[in-house]
Amino acid sequence: MSKISRSTFTVVALAGVWVPFHSAFAGSGSTVELSEIARLYSMRMQMVSNKIVLKNRYNTLEIEENGRRAWINDVMFWLHEPCRRSGRTWAIRKADFQYGIDPVLRSYTHAPKRTPMVVVIDPGHGGKDSGAVGLKKVFEKQLVLDISYRMKNLLESHGFKVVMTRSGDQYPSLDDRVDLARKVKADLFLSIHADGAASSAAHGVETFITTAAGFDSSNHYGKGGDRSSVLNNRYDAANAMLGYAVQSNLLKMSGRSDRGVRRARFAVIKKAPCPAALVECGFLTNPEEERLLRTEAYRSRVAQGIVNGVRAYRTLVSRAKR
Ligand SMILES: [Zn+2]
């Protein structure tokens, strides 16, 4: 493996001492108090307007009162359920700590054993399915294929083996895409999309990971009421590491606004046989982002950002080896 220069991509500094989650919060029910989290990470806790802010010299965690938005080092990370007051303190769901915050801040306690080598890139849509259509009639399926090829070249130059679910204007079914990942023994699955919305004002980039079992999906596309456990839930912690690494690096390279790491049960990620994320690279229905997505320079920066995220994830996994 080539030596990785730390200046090229963002990884999170390691926080706190090595205490496995279960022994850290054994027997404390389905919620975790923010004061317990502060103690575990040796962070100071204070209220700043409507946010509870936990901070040490390496990391900052901010959580909105009665809200689902949290920020880990300024990158938005949606909670499954709002942070609620519980007696004299504030608490979040244990799953949001165990499968969200903790894997990001203490990746070494959650990282998979195997260093990722095989990456499946899934350019969204294709063939009969154009995906989102821009104001200037640009098709999502074309843009995401271009971004995917750029990612493939970059990943291969960093020693990854890359398999794409489509190489041209074809439409593999959602199951075909996941089956391919299984067949090639993928270590990571990345589905690449551009967004569309009814309002032209919607803008920014976002990264979806699979919703934890027992919670509603956080996005408006998710089927209401679905709280099922899915195959990809076995990678919940690694998904959080991957989603955060991709979103933080994509933000840095794209310069677009942060819609956060979000949860959904999209078919391609919920059935993925490995850690997986679905990336939305900007809105084709927003005039400024459509203009950017039509430029090679922006597509190149987006591809570089996602690849930097994958490299950051690989670094975290390699570092965690004990
Ligand atoms: Zn799409």
Side-chain angles (χ1 to χ4, degrees):
M1 200 197 306
S2 62
K3 205 157 183 245
I4 294 166
S5 151
R6 279 207 203 161
S7 61
T8 55
F9 58 86
T10 309
V11 286
V12 174
L14 307 177
V17 290
W18 196 92
V19 182
F21 173 82
H22 288 291
S23 58
F25 296 124
S28 56
S30 64
T31 60
V32 179
E33 290 182 8
L34 298 191
S35 54
E36 288 182 87
I37 295 174
R39 208 173 306 126
L40 179 69
Y41 292 157
S42 306
M43 285 173 154
R44 287 191 315 279
M45 183 167 136
Q46 57 177 329
M47 299 295 300
V48 179
S49 68
N50 69 332
K51 286 180 192 163
I52 304 111
V53 179
L54 283 68
K55 199 174 168 66
N56 63 18
R57 59 189 284 220
Y58 304 108
N59 296 296
T60 305
L61 171 64
E62 299 165 86
I63 302 179
E64 197 173 43
E65 286 180 22
N66 298 310
R68 287 187 38 229
R69 291 185 305 171
W71 290 263
I72 305 173
N73 298 330
D74 293 326
V75 176
M76 196 192 293
F77 199 108
W78 289 78
L79 304 175
H80 288 91
E81 289 188 3
C83 173
R84 298 263 189 235
R85 186 169 270 287
S86 159
R88 290 171 53 210
T89 183
W90 291 89
I92 59 171
R93 296 300 299 255
K94 200 184 249 183
D96 279 317
F97 181 76
Q98 187 173 8
Y99 305 133
I101 293 163
D102 202 43
V104 175
L105 291 182
R106 298 192 311 158
S107 54
Y108 49 96
T109 70
H110 300 271
K113 293 206 165 42
R114 200 173 127 90
T115 302
M117 287 306 299
V118 181
V119 180
V120 167
I121 303 177
D122 173 41
H125 314 280
K128 62 181 183 184
D129 174 11
S130 305
V133 181
L135 305 162
K136 292 207 176 348
K137 303 287 172 244
V138 183
F139 292 157
E140 177 186 351
K141 66 175 184 178
Q142 293 168 335
L143 295 174
V144 297
L145 185 63
D146 178 274
I147 292 169
S148 298
Y149 271 116
R150 289 169 197 272
M151 287 172 54
K152 180 177 190 284
N153 291 337
L154 289 166
L155 285 168
E156 285 173 349
S157 74
H158 289 294
F160 290 94
K161 179 172 185 252
V162 176
V163 179
M164 291 186 26
T165 58
R166 66 180 177 97
S167 53
D169 191 19
Q170 311 95 10
Y171 180 80
S173 74
L174 301 179
D175 280 343
D176 287 347
R177 297 172 200 240
V178 174
D179 288 345
L180 178 67
R182 190 170 300 112
K183 206 174 101 198
V184 302
K185 298 187 166 45
D187 295 310
L188 292 177
F189 183 93
L190 292 164
S191 193
I192 308 302
H193 290 253
D195 240 325
S199 161
S200 66
H203 67 283
V205 295
E206 58 198 357
T207 301
F208 286 94
I209 55 174
T210 301
T211 311
F215 295 92
D216 282 334
S217 304
S218 75
N219 63 309
H220 53 287
Y221 314 107
K223 287 182 183 132
D226 179 6
R227 298 188 147 208
S228 60
S229 166
V230 293
L231 186 133
N232 191 251
N233 284 136
R234 73 182 63 167
Y235 307 104
D236 278 337
N239 289 339
M241 286 170 57
L242 176 67
Y244 182 88
V246 166
Q247 178 71 5
S248 56
N249 283 282
L250 174 59
L251 285 171
K252 203 169 158 188
M253 287 304 293
S254 71
R256 303 312 296 164
S257 62
D258 182 12
R259 297 172 61 87
V261 177
R262 293 172 178 239
R263 305 280 186 170
R265 289 186 181 85
F266 292 133
V268 287
I269 56 172
K270 77 178 184 185
K271 294 180 182 172
C274 57
L278 185 147
V279 188
E280 296 279 6
C281 306
F283 280 79
L284 272 174
T285 43
N286 175 270
E288 169 66 3
E289 291 191 348
E290 183 193 29
R291 187 189 66 73
L292 284 169
L293 281 159
R294 291 173 68 216
T295 66
E296 280 197 21
Y298 180 77
R299 295 196 299 271
S300 214
R301 288 202 302 276
V302 162
Q304 183 75 62
I306 300 169
V307 166
N308 286 351
V310 173
R311 294 176 62 205
Y313 173 87
R314 177 171 68 180
T315 300
L316 294 171
V317 173
S318 326
R319 267 193 206 165
K321 283 195 173 147
R322 293 179 291 273

